[in-house]
Amino acid sequence: MTAMTFPLPAGTRIQRATQEPTWVRWFLIGLALVFLTLFLFIPLISVFYEAFKKGVEVYLAAITDPDAVSAIQLTLTVAAIAVPLNLVFGVAAAWAIAKFEFRGKNLLITLIDLPFSVSPVVSGLIYVLVFGLQGWFGPWLAEHDMKIIFAVPGIVLATVFVTVPFIARELIPLMQAQGTEEEEAAVVLGASGWQTFYKVTLPNIKWGLLYGAILCNARAMGEFGAVSVVSGHIRGSTNTMPLHVEILYNEYNFAAAFAVASLLALLALVTLVLKTLIELRIKQRHTPRGFE
Amino acid sequence: MSTFKQHSILPGFNLALGFTLLYLSLIVLIPLSAAFIRTAELTWPEFWTIVTAPRVMASYRLTFGASFAAAMVNAFFGLLVAWVLVRYHFIGKRIIDALVDLPFALPTAVAGIALTALYAGNGWIGQFLEPMGIKVAFTPLGIFVALTFIGLPFVVRTVQPVLEDIEAELEEAAATLGANRWQTFSRVIFPALFPALMTGFALAFARAIGEYGSVIFIAGNMPMVSEITPLLIITKLEQYDYAGATALSVVMLVISFILLLIINLLQWWSRRRSSKT
């Protein structure tokens, strides 16, 4: 059977019934781009512009200032503790939730997501209520000359709290989609629990794990509200990078504030690049198996 | 008696669940319960006086009003951005798609100072608005701008996958039956997107209510005028008014829990709707 063709006058453009007219399309694209330019791109560019406005020397001086260096070190330390802790938690929680059927599972998933819905300020405050001088363990800690609030442990705890859900919520749907057949086969063939995890589960979830860890790290390094409540803002000792930005900004030292901020903006950009690369990778690998 | 857990040959359930519960209790549940237990030390009239004081009421109105307005703007533009990213092809689409998540990745303090610099009287954007009599930085309008920024990805990211999954057949059927493009959108596509749109709106709204870092720089923080509730908690804390700070944080927590419940219901509705089509 030959395809039927309908002759059209030369130069006629066919408008498909399931497409918008060209002018509508360009108008919508234009409107979306104007919105994104105003609310995303200009703020992003302005960080780097303000950082370098007074020259490279001022920029370098700002980020090599001893207080800035100490803030960078503290931020890296806090992330280096918070991310692995939440990584172990995320794997354990996802193993229990995705590989087994038990009662109260949905409640558990909601509890894991809870820190996302708590205001950062409240996240910090609750640790003050537990460990602060007026708090439950405050007097005991003071007696034993230990400090958690207005010290590094408090900053770590508040950061761990706000980043609890990141890795678990990446792994749970991923491991649920993968099912339990492969692990069951490994166990039937005589593998131990750890062998099953390392040789079967881990290779299947490594990209999801990395994805969650990268997002968790970005939030851990950038957290402001919760950390601000528990930090005490002691320069050179309990100041993280975001807090250092705030101090410089409030001292009207805008060039230095934006210089340190530009490092955090760079971290955000690197995070987005890695995230996009992993998304491409995951799509290629898991699409055939019905990965969302 | 029915069993708590279904039988499985896989090992590690007790260890994994035990560790999960211990970790959640120590990091999340016990500290959160501290806020409620400490508030219970107050009598009901004391609590009520604190959480309904005029300055506190003004902060609620501002926080909820600005969050609602920002979430509305994000619902509209989020739907638009999701539509453009899913349906159209243009140069730089990939990069723009990736950059939509910037507000998730950019520390809030950085967003705060960047927006303040832009919208101040001498800033890139502020210099055009100021002559028109529009003051953004250090006014409630600035809070709205900051909350719009941080809520931007939510609607885009909840609507995008649903829009990608809508089958072309549905739209073709609508067109065959004589619907024009706008009718197809408003009667076929929009109803399918609506639960996801509402979820995105609720997520953006919930995030905006608790937001602190990006707002305090641009807000001006004047009591009764441009002071958000999270800032009021910090102010009370700095004045060693622990009872006041705790009472306010309990109000915030209860509101967050209610929103979380609503979001879960919306997501359930959204999933049910999309599995039907």
Side-chain angles (χ1 to χ4, degrees):
Chain A
M1 198 170 97
T2 52
M4 243 197 281
T5 53
F6 298 96
L8 285 165
T12 312
R13 292 184 64 182
I14 305 169
Q15 165 77 52
R16 281 183 57 181
T18 52
Q19 261 179 5
E20 294 77 52
T22 313
W23 71 268
V24 173
R25 248 181 291 167
W26 286 111
F27 174 73
L28 293 180
I29 292 175
L31 197 61
L33 289 182
V34 167
F35 174 73
L36 291 176
T37 307
L38 271 178
F39 277 94
L40 276 189
F41 308 141
I42 293 183
L44 179 64
I45 294 164
S46 79
V47 173
F48 293 99
Y49 172 80
E50 297 281 342
F52 286 102
K53 201 160 77 175
K54 295 210 170 134
V56 179
E57 273 160 44
V58 175
Y59 181 87
L60 289 177
I63 60 170
T64 51
D65 174 79
D67 287 340
V69 172
S70 130
I72 294 169
Q73 279 169 345
L74 181 60
T75 293
L76 293 175
T77 313
V78 169
I81 301 170
V83 176
L85 278 178
N86 283 327
L87 195 87
V88 173
F89 166 74
V91 171
W95 181 264
I97 289 170
K99 302 291 176 188
F100 299 91
E101 291 304 323
F102 59 94
R103 284 206 198 170
K105 194 192 253 193
N106 287 329
L107 180 68
L108 185 58
I109 296 176
T110 309
L111 284 181
I112 292 173
D113 270 349
L114 208 53
F116 272 162
S117 53
V118 175
S119 169
V121 170
V122 177
S123 311
L125 174 80
I126 55 176
Y127 283 100
V128 176
L129 295 178
V130 176
F131 296 112
L133 260 184
Q134 320 286 321
W136 287 342
F137 301 112
W140 186 86
L141 287 167
E143 252 171 52
H144 292 77
D145 214 21
M146 281 188 283
K147 240 185 149 186
I148 290 183
I149 299 305
F150 304 143
V152 175
I155 297 175
V156 172
L157 279 172
T159 307
V160 170
F161 178 91
V162 295
T163 53
V164 158
F166 278 95
I167 296 168
R169 69 154 31 189
E170 285 310 321
L171 289 184
I172 292 167
L174 175 65
M175 283 167 68
Q176 273 175 335
Q178 285 169 351
T180 53
E181 290 90 350
E182 290 182 37
E183 281 85 1
E184 279 163 1
V187 170
V188 168
L189 292 170
S192 74
W194 290 113
Q195 280 174 328
T196 308
F197 178 73
Y198 275 115
K199 302 215 166 143
V200 179
T201 310
L202 197 59
N204 277 337
I205 62 167
K206 62 181 179 201
W207 292 109
L209 204 63
L210 188 62
Y211 189 88
I214 286 166
L215 298 187
C216 182
N217 178 63
R219 180 69 194 267
M221 290 191 174
E223 178 52 31
F224 177 76
V227 167
S228 153
V229 175
V230 295
S231 138
H233 306 269
I234 305 158
R235 273 191 169 205
S237 121
T238 63
N239 243 352
T240 61
M241 285 168 80
L243 297 178
H244 192 57
V245 169
E246 184 198 19
I247 288 188
L248 293 170
Y249 190 85
N250 287 343
E251 288 171 346
Y252 301 102
N253 193 350
F254 295 138
F258 276 101
V260 179
S262 76
L263 296 179
L264 289 167
L266 207 60
L267 166 77
L269 288 177
V270 170
T271 302
L272 290 184
V273 169
L274 291 175
K275 179 178 168 297
T276 310
L277 289 178
I278 297 172
E279 274 167 7
L280 289 174
R281 181 108 203 182
I282 291 178
K283 251 183 202 159
Q284 283 164 4
R285 292 212 154 190
H286 293 289
T287 307
R289 299 183 56 184
F291 182 74
E292 296 178 330
Chain B
M1 202 184 107
S2 59
T3 48
F4 160 68
K5 167 185 164 271
Q6 278 179 25
H7 179 73
S8 163
I9 62 161
L10 293 181
F13 176 74
N14 290 336
L15 177 66
L17 188 68
F19 179 75
T20 303
L21 293 177
L22 178 71
Y23 190 90
L24 272 183
S25 303
L26 289 178
I27 300 287
V28 180
L29 299 178
I30 293 174
L32 272 181
S33 71
F36 290 93
I37 294 170
R38 291 299 290 269
T39 302
E41 291 166 11
L42 296 170
T43 64
W44 180 252
E46 280 173 336
F47 175 77
W48 194 249
T49 314
I50 293 172
V51 300
T52 57
R55 189 172 163 190
V56 179
M57 292 303 277
S59 83
Y60 296 149
R61 274 193 293 275
L62 175 67
T63 308
F64 285 94
S67 301
F68 187 81
M72 284 301 280
V73 166
N74 275 323
F76 177 78
F77 282 99
L79 178 63
L80 174 71
V81 170
W83 179 270
V84 164
L85 287 176
V86 172
R87 293 296 173 102
Y88 304 147
H89 294 281
F90 52 94
I91 301 162
K93 189 171 110 164
R94 269 258 169 89
I95 296 169
I96 287 170
D97 195 359
L99 273 174
V100 164
D101 281 330
L102 182 73
F104 284 160
L106 193 70
T108 51
V110 179
I113 63 169
L115 291 171
T116 311
L118 285 176
Y119 285 92
N122 57 355
W124 285 354
I125 300 176
Q127 60 179 330
F128 298 110
L129 297 176
E130 205 105 309
M132 292 190 277
I134 306 170
K135 275 193 151 200
V136 179
F138 317 121
T139 71
L141 202 56
I143 300 176
F144 160 77
V145 168
L147 295 180
T148 305
F149 175 84
I150 57 126
L152 196 151
F154 288 100
V155 174
V156 181
R157 293 306 186 220
T158 47
V159 168
Q160 215 173 4
V162 182
L163 193 56
E164 277 166 359
D165 283 347
I166 289 182
E167 283 154 26
E169 286 88 339
L170 279 178
E171 290 170 51
E172 284 162 9
T176 318
L177 294 169
N180 66 29
R181 201 56 197 141
W182 173 249
Q183 285 170 327
T184 307
F185 176 79
S186 58
R187 305 255 177 101
V188 177
I189 302 173
F190 188 76
L193 295 179
F194 190 67
L197 187 65
M198 283 299 294
T199 309
F201 172 84
L203 285 169
F205 181 69
R207 170 74 203 264
I209 299 270
E211 179 58 18
Y212 173 72
S214 61
V215 174
I216 51 153
F217 295 98
I218 202 168
N221 305 328
M222 294 240 305
M224 304 299 291
V225 179
S226 55
E227 187 179 51
I228 54 167
T229 311
L231 176 70
L232 204 52
I233 294 178
I234 297 241
T235 310
K236 284 185 185 289
L237 206 56
E238 281 170 355
Q239 293 162 348
Y240 302 103
D241 177 7
Y242 285 86
T246 313
L248 279 190
S249 71
V250 162
V251 172
M252 297 281 295
L253 279 173
V254 169
I255 293 166
S256 321
F257 294 160
I258 294 171
L259 283 170
L260 186 67
L261 188 73
I262 294 173
I263 290 165
N264 277 342
L265 288 174
L266 283 170
Q267 278 170 337
W268 173 76
W269 180 34
S270 179
R271 264 198 300 271
R272 220 181 49 155
R273 179 69 73 90
S274 61
S275 64
K276 253 194 216 165
T277 49

